[in-house]
């Protein structure tokens, strides 16, 4: 940011706003150091690492105590979070006796004082939501598990030593990608955005997936995405959910589109012989022709009938279409295989991508721009994890941009908490301070949140407006008015 | 060389027409128009036996021996007998008068007549290669445009170079063709013999249209069976078949290679006939491709020396293993008459193979079948539309489309191929689902409505393997089209897969004709208010029976809920009839009396 402007703004407004931020993140197991003097052994991972040992022990001990204490009230549901003036702590026990704790500093406002006195700091204790950050902690674990398997697995394989190594390696990088200031309702849902597609094109994709799996029989599962939206998953829902998160928030944003690159750009795909295709590996070898190319792919862990299975993750992309092929990790992948895959999938996927694009454009033209939603809404279906948001801009690796004020996002989160409390269908209409109307609807397993900017509208008009939205956007599902 | 028996794709008919074989005292004639064989003993004096394609058309009679008979024929219906004894006279034993209808003066070398189309072909000019066709129709004779057969070599000096034996006429795929057997010639640049087909349309000029490459030389004979051109080669004792509608990508336009490798006709054994037959005597093998064979159009082979007339037949089963390219095999089979069971067995065969890379083949085969299926459905539909709009418009009454065996519909596929295939334990479920989806894709691509039982098969397979998430995704993209039966099937899955409930309700909602079902589903879930709100939103509140709502509300044991529902219906009654009372005729709930008895208690609480 330009420093001159920020100074000007600060002097004009006289105060400075701080968003929530990560204070610490640690993982411990109380059974690893039950005796006095061995407390350090409990700690498996601690961020930031440069904190003095005794403070680490003290913080872990405090969490342990809180959890133990709250257990006396409800043995099955110990405390999930601790609210204090300056920060908020989240506790999560993903596996027996393994605890993950995340400490988030509350957002605050710094008000400068005159006469050189230190500024007054005002903590906004109620601004952050337990559901949102509780979900973030769970996501951290799921992501670790996707690439490493369970904590228990590492323990079995190499004891505490291996586990701490793995945790260090994974979370050191992963925590840097957490952007707590932009976490919101979508993190609670952890949904999947599905690409809208006509039946025929969808069947063509099915046909493609089946053919590839048949001719390259090593492939166990396939997932297919277009425009960062899911079309097909051979994985089970929960595995797909976290893989989708990884793909759309980490892997895809790291790879810019070479098709869009200039003619002389090194990213431009090579034209091999007369066979032009845009296929390329997003994981594994960047250039198949490179004699030094390594054929190593990231490994992921997914649930299987007997626990979990370890798989190579091959992500292959042509234009906007991406196919993830998963192959048992026990198989060693060779240059031969990759070349075969490239030769088979590249041309087909390129063709399919342009087919989808064409179909998508046609559908858009038919439905017309007037059908494009003018509402700001978030939709989520717990059954298939389908999410749709017209509030969020394109997700990037660093930030998730929203087009509405954080206050409104907070209201959405609050409504969501209310919905979570009861099983019944509900509808909540809120008039926000800023003249916005916020409507939350829950019907069976579906939730819909609408933000309306109609200053002078009354309750009935708002209700009608939302009905209209449901009739146009959700007319093909059973969504009670 | 011994071949496995299943490789013979041509056979002689099992019930041949038998007649007294040709000998010094017995002359044999064949009439192509009536397909009758005449056995004339001693010029007719000791009897003429006429045998036709069926027993009814057999006739035996005597006539005076007035010299050697050159040709003998019946008119249609065996009414008039014509006998030719000299080259310039024909005798009709029954005395009738003849009238000259039309007269054409042309120098003719020889002629050929095609009874099927009533076209006569005259060989004219010195070389004989200018052919002049005439068509007979309704007692008139019309001259068609003449055409020239390209000879391999132009003889000098000119002499008759086109033999009657090298020309045949036949109808293939409903069109008349003149087939010319073009022998190889050392001088011209043609290393092997060809059959050249000239298309002879009813109107317009005759054009050279197809060239069949025989890739060998020697003596040949032609038959047409099931729209296939069969070329018999005497020296190798084999036959070739050609399908002029089969496109060959690697050949020049309309040049054809044999569809299948050359094979001989299936060995034939003749039972010894006649009074001398001893029952235990085994049948004698018949000498195939004998020089005493005469071949007639379209599919007749006569062995005069042995007294047999056979119809040549194509056996489709052996072709299956001879044609490796399954797409081409389908193209070939779909044009044959008795193809249905063979096609279905090919489908089963491809599916059970489990050969790597067979899905693209499966897709090609499905697409070919569905193309034919769709064409039939479209023809059927336009016929129905034409019938409904009334026969008055357009005098030419549209013919109802004929459903040939090549129309393989979903029920055929289901019964003969898919249902047994999905039950095979050794096939992976992945492949089963892939095949079913491929079939559904192909149907959709041809805009054919998919039948419910196919969806059921998909769902059954997915459920059996606990692939509910896959099922969910298929439904999400409407791959399994909405229908009430499908929605009910989903409802029945709810106990094993709870999301099926939502999927089912969504589907009922989209159908928009299933509001009653939606109400029932919601009530069964004790979602009484939901049901009430729904029926209101679709405007069915006024006509709905209050009883089932009140019954459902009572079953929840929630008094507040019951009261709400009850009041809602009272208000409705008030609005409709000016009174909150329920109609006596309306199925009034029994329990509402109970409720009315304690209004004060309930009312106060509220």
């Amino acid at each position: 940011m330009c420093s001159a402007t920020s100074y000007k703004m600060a002097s004009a407004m006289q105060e400075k706003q701080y968003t929530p931020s990560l204070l610490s993140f640690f993982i411990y197991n109380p059974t690893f150091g039950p005796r006095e003097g061995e407390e350090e052994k409990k700690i498996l991972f601690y961020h930031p690492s440069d904190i003095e040992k005794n403070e680490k022990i003290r913080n872990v001990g405090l969490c342990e105590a809180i959890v133990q204490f709250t257990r006396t009230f409800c043995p099955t549901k110990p405390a999930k979070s601790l609210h204090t003036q300056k920060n908020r702590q989240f506790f999560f026990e993903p596996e027996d006796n393994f605890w993950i704790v995340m400490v988030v500093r509350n957002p605050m406002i710094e008000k400068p004082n005159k006469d050189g006195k230190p500024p007054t700091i005002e903590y906004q204790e109620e601004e952050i939501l337990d559901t949102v950050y509780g979900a973030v902690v769970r996501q951290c674990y799921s992501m670790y598990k996707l690439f490493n398997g369970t904590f228990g697995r590492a323990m079995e394989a190499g004891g505490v030593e291996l586990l701490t190594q793995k945790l260090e390696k994974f979370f050191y990088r992963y925590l840097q990608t957490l952007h707590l200031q932009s976490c919101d309702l979508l993190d609670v849902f952890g949904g999947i955005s599905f690409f809208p597609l006509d039946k025929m094109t969808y069947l063509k994709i099915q046909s493609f997936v089946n053919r590839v799996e048949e001719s390259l029989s090593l492939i166990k599962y396939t997932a297919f995405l277009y425009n960062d939206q899911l079309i097909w998953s051979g994985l089970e829902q929960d595995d797909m959910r976290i893989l989708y998160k990884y793909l759309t928030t980490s892997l895809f944003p790291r790879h810019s589109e070479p098709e869009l690159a200039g003619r002389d750009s090194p990213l431009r795909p090579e034209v091999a012989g007369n066979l032009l295709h845009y296929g390329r590996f997003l994981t594994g070898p960047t250039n198949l022709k490179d004699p030094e190319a390594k054929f190593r792919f990231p490994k992921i862990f997914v649930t299987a009938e007997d626990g979990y299975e370890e798989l190579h993750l091959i992500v292959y992309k042509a234009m906007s279409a991406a196919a993830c092929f998963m192959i048992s990790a026990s198989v060693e992948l060779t240059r031969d295989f990759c070349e075969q895959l490239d030769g088979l999938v590249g041309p087909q996927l390129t063709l399919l991508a342009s087919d989808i694009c064409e179909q998508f454009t046609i559908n858009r033209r038919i439905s017309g721009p007037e059908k494009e939603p003018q509402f700001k809404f978030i939709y989520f279906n717990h059954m298939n994890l389908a999410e749709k948001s017209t509030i969020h801009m394109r997700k990037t690796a660093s930030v998730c941009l929203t087009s509405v004020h954080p206050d409104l996002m907070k209201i959405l989160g609050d409504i969501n908490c209310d919905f979570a409390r009861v099983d019944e269908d509900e509808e909540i209409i809120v008039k926000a301070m800023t003249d916005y109307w916020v409507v939350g609807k829950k019907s069976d397993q579906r939730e819909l949140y609408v933000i309306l900017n109609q200053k002078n509208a009354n309750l009935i008009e708002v209700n009608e407006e939302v009905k209209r939205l449901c009739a146009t956007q959700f007319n093909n599902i059973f969504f009670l008015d | 060389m011994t071949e496995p028996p299943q490789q013979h794709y041509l056979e002689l008919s099992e019930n041949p027409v038998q007649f007294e074989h040709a000998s010094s005292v017995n002359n044999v004639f064949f009439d192509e128009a009536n397909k009758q064989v005449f056995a004339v003993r001693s010029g007719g004096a000791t009897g003429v036996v006429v045998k036709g394609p069926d027993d009814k058309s057999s006739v035996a009679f005597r006539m005076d021996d007035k010299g050697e008979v050159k040709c003998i024929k019946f008119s249609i219906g065996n009414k008039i007998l014509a006998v030719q004894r000299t080259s310039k006279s024909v005798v009709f034993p029954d005395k009738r008068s003849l009238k000259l209808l039309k007269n054409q003066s042309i120098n003719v070398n020889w002629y050929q007549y095609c009874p099927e189309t009533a076209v006569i072909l005259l060989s004219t000019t010195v070389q004989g290669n200018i052919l002049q066709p005439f068509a007979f129709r309704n007692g008139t004779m019309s001259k068609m445009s003449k055409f020239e057969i390209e000879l391999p070599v132009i003889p000098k000096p000119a002499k008759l170079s086109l033999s009657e034996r090298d020309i045949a006429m036949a109808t293939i795929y409903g069109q008349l063709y003149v087939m010319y057997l073009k022998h190889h010639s050392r001088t011209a640049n043609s290393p092997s013999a060809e059959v050249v087909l000239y298309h002879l349309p009813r109107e317009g000029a005759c054009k050279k249209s197809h060239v069949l490459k025989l890739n060998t030389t020697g003596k040949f004979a032609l038959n047409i069976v099931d729209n296939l051109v069969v070329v018999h080669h005497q020296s190798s004792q084999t036959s070739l078949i050609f399908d002029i509608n089969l496109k060959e990508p690697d050949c020049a336009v309309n040049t054809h290679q044999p569809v299948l490798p050359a094979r001989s006709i299936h060995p034939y054994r003749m039972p010894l006939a006649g009074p001398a037959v001893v029952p235990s005597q085994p049948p004698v093998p018949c000498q195939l491709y004998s020089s005493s064979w005469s071949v007639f159009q379209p599919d007749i082979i006569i062995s005069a020396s042995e007294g047999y007339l056979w119809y040549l037949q194509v056996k489709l089963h052996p072709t299956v293993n001879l044609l490796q390219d399954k797409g081409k095999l389908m193209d070939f089979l779909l044009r044959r008459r008795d193809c249905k069971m063979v096609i279905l067995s090919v489908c089963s065969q491809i599916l059970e193979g489990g050969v790597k890379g067979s899905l693209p083949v499966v897709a090609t085969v499905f697409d070919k079948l569905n193309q034919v299926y769709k064409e039939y459905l479209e023809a059927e539909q336009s016929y129905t539309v034409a019938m409904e709009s009334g026969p008055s418009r357009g005098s030419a009454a549209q013919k109802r489309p004929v459903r040939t065996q090549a129309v393989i519909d979903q029920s055929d596929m289901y019964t003969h191929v898919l249902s047994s295939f999905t039950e095979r334990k050794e096939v992976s479920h992945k492949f089963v689902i892939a095949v079913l989806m491929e079939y559904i894709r192909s149907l959709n691509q041809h805009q054919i409505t998919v039948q419910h039982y196919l969806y059921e098969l998909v769902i059954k397979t997915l459920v059996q393997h606990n692939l509910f998430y896959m099922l969910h995704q298929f439904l999400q993209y409407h791959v399994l089209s909405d229908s009430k039966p499908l929605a009910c099937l989903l409802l029945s899955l709810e106990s094993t897969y709870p999301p099926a409930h939502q999927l089912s309700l969504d589907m009922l909602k989209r159908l928009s004709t299933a509001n009653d079902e939606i109400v029932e589903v919601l009530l069964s879930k004790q979602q009484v208010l939901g049901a009430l709100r729904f029926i209101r939103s679709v405007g069915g509140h006024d006509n709905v029976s209050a009883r089932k709502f009140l019954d459902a509300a009572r079953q929840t044991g929630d008094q507040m809920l019951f009261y709400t529902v009850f009041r809602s219906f009272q208000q409705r009654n008030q609005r409709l009839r000016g009174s909150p009372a329920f109609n006596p005729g309306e199925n009034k709930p029994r329990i509402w009396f109970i409720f009315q008895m304690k209004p004060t208690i309930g009312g106060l609480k509220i």
Side-chain angles (χ1 to χ4, degrees):
Chain A
M1 196 186 279
C2 170
S3 57
T5 350
S6 71
Y7 171 78
K8 221 175 174 182
M9 278 172 69
S11 66
M13 293 163 72
Q14 301 277 311
E15 36 187 72
K16 218 169 160 187
Q17 179 99 34
Y18 289 93
T19 53
S21 59
L22 183 68
L23 270 186
S24 57
F25 185 98
F26 46 91
I27 299 167
Y28 66 90
N29 186 327
T31 62
F32 288 177
R35 266 167 289 183
E36 238 178 275
E38 288 182 348
E39 287 90 347
E40 199 189 357
K41 288 184 179 170
K42 296 176 186 176
I43 306 171
L44 301 166
F45 173 79
Y46 204 102
H47 165 90
S49 56
D50 53 1
I51 282 190
E52 200 260 321
K53 186 178 95 178
N54 283 325
E55 198 187 331
K56 287 182 186 172
I57 292 172
R58 258 201 320 278
N59 288 339
V60 167
L62 180 66
C63 293
E64 233 185 295
I66 292 162
V67 169
Q68 275 308 326
F69 174 68
T70 53
R71 265 220 172 103
T72 54
F73 300 102
C74 179
T76 52
K77 285 185 191 166
K80 282 187 183 143
S81 69
L82 175 69
H83 298 204
T84 65
Q85 187 201 12
K86 291 185 182 176
N87 58 45
R88 205 175 273 200
Q89 308 196 10
F90 298 91
F91 314 111
F92 177 48
E93 186 187 20
E95 295 171 40
D96 278 351
N97 293 312
F98 285 97
W99 287 86
I100 300 179
V101 179
M102 181 171 81
V103 185
V104 180
R105 194 200 58 203
N106 286 331
M108 56 189 190
I109 298 167
E110 197 182 82
K111 293 181 176 166
N113 285 320
K114 281 173 191 165
D115 313 328
K117 275 188 201 165
T120 316
I121 290 177
E122 219 172 76
Y123 288 94
Q124 296 173 296
E125 292 158 52
E126 297 309 317
E127 285 310 296
I128 66 177
L129 287 163
D130 280 355
T131 46
V132 171
Y133 293 96
V136 170
V137 178
R138 284 196 301 280
Q139 222 169 59
C140 288
Y141 172 71
S142 299
M143 202 60 90
Y144 169 86
K145 202 175 75 170
L146 178 69
F147 290 103
N148 298 281
T150 58
F151 295 159
R153 179 184 173 270
M155 287 297 294
E156 274 169 33
V160 182
E161 204 181 325
L162 181 69
L163 177 60
T164 48
Q165 267 176 30
K166 278 184 173 286
L167 292 174
E168 195 66 46
K169 195 175 160 210
F170 177 81
F171 282 107
Y172 173 73
R173 268 176 59 190
Y174 184 75
L175 291 181
Q176 293 173 22
T177 68
L178 277 187
H179 296 276
L180 295 184
Q181 73 279 7
S182 54
C183 292
D184 60 31
L185 188 57
L186 285 193
D187 292 281
V188 178
F189 293 145
I192 294 170
S193 178
F194 287 92
F195 187 78
L197 202 61
D198 66 293
K199 176 159 67 173
M200 200 51 234
T201 317
Y202 183 79
L203 282 167
K204 273 191 201 162
I205 293 168
Q206 272 296 316
S207 187
F208 160 79
V209 168
N210 288 335
R211 283 175 193 206
V212 173
E213 285 188 5
E214 198 207 20
S215 36
L216 301 172
S217 50
L218 283 179
I219 296 172
K220 231 174 154 183
Y221 310 103
T222 306
F224 193 102
L225 295 95
Y226 188 86
N227 259 355
D228 294 4
Q229 290 173 301
L230 187 67
I231 294 180
W232 167 252
S233 162
L235 284 182
E236 284 303 310
Q237 199 179 49
D238 280 339
D239 294 320
M240 193 61 231
R241 176 186 230 171
I242 193 71
L243 179 62
Y244 178 79
K245 175 91 188 165
Y246 164 69
L247 293 172
T248 53
T249 60
S250 176
L251 185 69
F252 292 158
R254 272 190 275 136
H255 292 82
S256 67
E257 305 286 323
E259 304 78 273
L260 305 178
R263 184 168 294 276
D264 302 322
S265 159
L267 283 171
R268 190 120 182 123
E270 275 183 56
V271 182
N274 55 355
L275 193 75
L276 173 67
H277 73 75
Y278 290 101
R280 68 207 162 102
F281 288 92
L282 293 198
T283 59
T286 39
N287 183 0
L288 276 180
K289 302 226 166 42
D290 180 1
E292 304 287 302
K294 294 270 190 304
F295 297 93
R296 274 203 296 271
F297 293 88
K299 291 193 179 121
I300 58 165
F301 290 78
V302 302
T303 45
E305 276 164 32
D306 46 351
Y308 57 83
E309 62 183 319
E310 196 178 350
L311 303 164
H312 294 286
L313 174 66
I314 301 175
V315 183
Y316 190 90
K317 202 171 179 194
M319 302 198 272
S320 296
C324 306
F325 301 111
M326 284 151 273
I327 294 170
S328 171
S330 58
V331 182
E332 202 185 322
L333 296 178
T334 59
R335 173 187 292 272
D336 245 20
F337 177 82
C338 293
E339 281 174 352
Q340 213 185 336
L341 188 139
D342 187 59
L344 179 80
V345 175
Q348 287 192 54
L349 194 63
T350 305
L351 202 67
L352 211 46
S354 62
D355 265 12
I356 298 169
C357 179
E358 193 181 323
Q359 204 56 45
F360 183 63
T361 325
I362 291 170
N363 289 349
R364 227 180 169 162
R365 211 177 300 137
I366 292 167
S367 62
E370 69 276 3
K371 276 226 177 163
E372 287 287 297
Q374 292 165 17
F375 302 89
K376 290 189 186 306
F377 71 84
I378 295 178
Y379 163 85
F380 180 69
N381 182 355
H382 288 271
M383 279 299 183
N384 59 0
L385 307 180
E387 85 180 12
K388 197 173 174 182
S389 169
T390 58
I391 290 172
H392 294 78
M393 313 295 190
R394 193 182 162 78
K395 275 180 194 167
T396 64
S398 53
V399 274
C400 185
L401 295 167
T402 57
S403 57
V404 301
H405 194 268
D407 288 350
L408 289 170
M409 288 311 291
K410 165 113 191 329
I411 296 175
L412 297 188
D414 284 334
I415 298 175
N416 168 260
C417 291
D418 282 336
F419 285 162
R421 258 178 237 130
V422 274
D423 264 350
E424 301 282 306
D425 290 357
E426 271 188 22
E427 185 164 343
I428 296 174
I429 301 180
V430 178
K431 175 105 194 256
M433 300 284 278
T434 44
D435 286 331
Y436 280 95
W437 286 90
V438 179
V439 182
K441 272 167 77 78
K442 184 190 171 201
S443 170
D444 195 26
Q445 300 289 318
R446 294 181 166 109
E447 292 177 29
L448 174 67
Y449 302 86
V450 186
I451 297 173
L452 295 167
N453 181 15
Q454 283 166 329
K455 199 173 175 177
N456 301 317
N458 61 30
L459 194 61
I460 293 170
E461 285 162 352
V462 167
N463 195 34
E464 288 300 314
E465 198 65 29
V466 173
K467 263 192 183 170
R468 204 159 34 242
L469 167 71
C470 290
T472 54
Q473 293 285 313
F474 304 103
N475 57 343
N476 59 348
I477 55 170
F478 185 79
F479 200 70
L480 269 179
D481 287 328
Chain B
M1 194 178 90
T2 53
E3 291 166 325
Q6 67 269 23
Q7 295 230 318
H8 305 282
Y9 48 79
L10 288 167
E11 64 180 356
L12 300 173
S13 55
E14 247 176 70
N15 299 311
V17 176
Q18 289 184 43
F19 52 88
E20 189 180 344
H21 63 86
S23 66
S24 54
V25 290
N26 185 42
N27 285 333
V28 177
F29 302 93
F30 180 64
D31 170 20
E32 288 181 77
N34 286 332
K35 313 242 183 297
Q36 287 171 322
V37 185
F38 289 74
V40 182
R41 283 186 69 89
S42 328
T46 46
V48 178
V49 179
V50 184
K51 294 232 176 163
D54 49 60
D55 292 339
K56 272 182 282 175
S57 48
S58 294
V59 188
F61 57 89
R62 263 168 214 276
M63 58 183 193
D64 296 335
D65 184 358
K66 291 180 184 165
E68 193 200 352
V69 173
K70 286 198 159 168
C71 188
I72 180 166
K73 283 170 195 211
F74 268 123
S75 69
I76 294 160
N78 296 354
K79 283 193 182 107
I80 304 162
L81 181 71
V83 186
Q84 185 184 4
R85 291 196 177 87
T86 68
S87 61
K88 285 181 180 167
S89 71
V90 176
V91 178
F92 302 98
D94 203 13
K95 283 206 174 80
R96 294 195 185 208
S97 62
L98 281 174
K99 198 168 86 184
L100 178 66
L101 289 174
K102 206 170 179 180
N103 179 15
Q104 288 275 348
S105 297
I106 308 171
N107 281 327
V108 176
N109 304 306
W110 45 262
Y111 80 94
Q112 292 242 328
Y113 180 67
C114 174
E116 226 177 324
T117 49
V119 170
I120 194 166
L121 200 60
L122 309 178
S123 157
T124 67
T125 69
V126 180
Q127 292 170 51
N129 66 330
I130 305 292
L131 299 183
Q132 173 64 61
F134 287 91
F136 297 94
R137 211 180 308 164
N138 307 325
T140 65
M141 178 177 84
S142 50
K143 194 175 185 174
M144 297 162 78
S145 52
K146 63 182 174 189
F147 61 97
E148 181 182 351
I149 299 275
E150 290 170 32
L151 294 172
V153 216
I154 311 294
K156 274 180 190 160
K159 56 166 185 170
L160 184 60
S161 311
L162 184 65
S163 156
E164 176 182 3
R165 289 210 314 259
D166 294 335
I167 292 290
M169 282 193 287
T171 310
I172 308 168
Y173 294 114
Q175 297 294 316
L176 180 61
Y177 289 91
V178 173
M179 301 188 285
Y180 165 47
L181 189 56
K182 186 177 177 183
H183 294 283
H184 92 111
S185 107
R186 246 167 279 134
T187 45
N189 192 16
S190 56
S192 61
E194 302 171 337
V195 174
V196 184
L197 265 59
Y198 293 83
H199 180 215
L200 197 54
R202 287 210 176 150
E203 312 277 330
C206 178
K207 264 192 220 134
K208 178 176 167 179
S209 62
H210 298 273
V211 176
L212 315 181
K213 293 281 186 190
L214 303 183
N215 306 321
T216 181
T217 58
K219 266 181 91 180
F220 300 97
L222 301 173
N223 272 136
I224 303 294
V225 183
D226 205 358
N227 293 316
L228 293 167
V229 181
V230 181
V231 184
H232 306 290
H233 183 227
Q234 202 187 18
S235 56
S236 69
Q237 305 220 337
T238 56
S239 305
L240 292 167
I241 56 175
F242 294 87
D243 184 342
I244 57 166
N245 273 5
L246 214 56
K247 298 274 179 296
E248 306 230 11
D250 47 351
C251 277
V253 188
N254 292 332
T255 300
H256 300 264
Q257 292 293 335
V259 181
L260 300 168
R263 289 286 182 272
S264 73
I265 297 171
H266 193 278
Y268 186 84
R269 286 169 180 276
M270 293 181 291
L272 287 180
V277 70
V278 180
S280 61
Q281 205 168 343
V284 185
C286 167
Q287 200 211 329
L288 302 174
Y289 301 92
S290 142
S291 56
S292 75
W293 275 16
S294 311
V295 172
F296 294 92
Q297 299 314 316
D299 55 352
I300 289 163
I301 295 173
I302 292 174
S303 171
S305 63
E306 280 161 323
Y308 276 86
L309 180 152
W310 296 280
Y311 293 96
L312 187 65
Q313 294 168 340
V314 173
K315 293 199 294 177
L316 294 180
H317 268 289
T319 65
V320 171
N321 296 321
L322 289 171
L323 240 178
Q324 289 315 308
D325 180 343
K326 299 296 176 200
K328 199 172 158 192
L329 175 65
M330 275 300 147
D331 285 337
F332 171 76
L333 291 176
L334 281 167
R335 296 202 180 88
R336 307 285 77 84
R337 202 173 37 229
D338 299 318
C339 59
K340 180 178 249 168
M341 292 324 286
V342 181
I343 289 174
L344 290 169
S345 78
V346 171
C347 290
S348 296
Q349 194 192 350
I350 297 171
L351 296 185
E352 79 193 23
V355 191
K356 205 170 164 185
S358 61
L359 268 182
V361 177
V362 170
T364 310
V365 168
F366 286 163
D367 283 344
K368 287 188 186 294
L369 297 184
N370 288 330
Q371 180 61 34
V372 177
Y373 178 26
K374 178 206 175 186
E375 279 162 16
Y376 169 74
L377 288 178
E378 277 179 350
E380 180 79 8
Q381 205 198 350
S382 66
Y383 170 78
T384 315
V385 170
M387 285 301 104
E388 275 166 4
S389 66
S392 55
R393 265 196 314 136
S395 54
Q398 205 179 348
K399 265 197 274 175
R400 195 188 179 91
V402 181
R403 187 183 168 140
T404 65
Q405 286 211 6
V407 178
I408 310 275
D409 63 16
Q410 296 172 62
S411 144
D412 294 326
M413 275 310 270
Y414 178 85
T415 318
H416 298 282
V417 181
L418 295 176
S419 63
S420 56
F421 164 66
T422 53
E423 272 160 24
R424 294 172 67 103
K425 295 222 164 48
E426 65 277 18
V427 183
S428 78
H429 64 262
K430 221 173 177 174
F431 187 63
V432 170
I433 292 158
V435 166
L436 292 176
M437 293 316 286
E438 205 56 63
Y439 189 54
I440 289 173
R441 180 208 48 82
S442 179
L443 289 169
N444 271 294
Q445 197 159 306
H446 291 91
Q447 285 128 29
I448 301 167
T449 313
V450 181
Q451 295 295 319
H452 175 68
Y453 45 74
L454 289 177
Y455 293 145
E456 231 171 72
L457 209 54
V458 173
I459 294 174
K460 204 178 88 186
T461 312
L462 292 170
V463 168
Q464 261 172 9
H465 295 93
N466 280 319
L467 299 168
F468 289 105
Y469 189 46
M470 237 180 229
L471 171 63
H472 201 133
Q473 294 182 69
F474 288 157
L475 289 159
Q476 204 174 312
Y477 281 96
H478 309 294
V479 166
L480 312 176
S481 307
D482 298 343
S483 72
K484 270 190 205 177
L486 191 55
C488 293
L489 184 61
L490 287 173
L491 270 184
S492 71
L493 293 176
E494 195 194 339
S495 55
T496 36
Y497 185 62
H501 174 76
Q502 192 190 65
L503 290 167
S504 171
L505 270 185
D506 289 351
M507 193 176 282
L508 290 171
K509 161 85 186 299
R510 285 192 296 268
L511 286 169
S512 77
T513 54
N515 293 341
D516 291 345
E517 283 84 350
I518 292 177
V519 168
E520 293 299 332
V521 170
L522 292 174
L523 289 180
S524 73
K525 290 260 144 194
Q526 301 202 325
Q527 294 176 0
V528 188
L529 278 187
L532 205 55
R533 281 165 66 196
F534 170 73
I535 202 73
R536 263 192 200 173
S537 72
V538 297
H541 190 231
D542 292 356
N543 312 314
V544 86
S545 143
R547 179 181 207 138
K548 58 184 175 192
F549 286 85
L550 290 165
D551 272 348
R554 185 174 56 97
Q555 274 164 18
T556 62
D558 182 345
Q559 286 208 356
M560 177 68 177
L561 176 68
F562 184 87
Y563 180 74
T564 313
V565 174
F566 185 76
R567 283 292 296 158
S568 150
F569 279 104
Q570 276 196 327
Q571 280 165 9
R572 178 197 73 170
N573 295 345
Q574 180 83 44
R575 182 167 46 82
L576 290 178
R577 298 189 284 271
S579 150
F582 287 86
N583 265 355
E586 191 171 9
N587 23 20
K588 178 167 46 178
R590 254 176 301 121
I591 33 80
W592 81 277
F593 293 106
I594 308 165
F595 190 78
Q596 279 197 327
M597 282 197 285
K598 43 178 183 180
T600 44
I601 312 161
L604 274 176
K605 263 187 164 174
I606 298 157

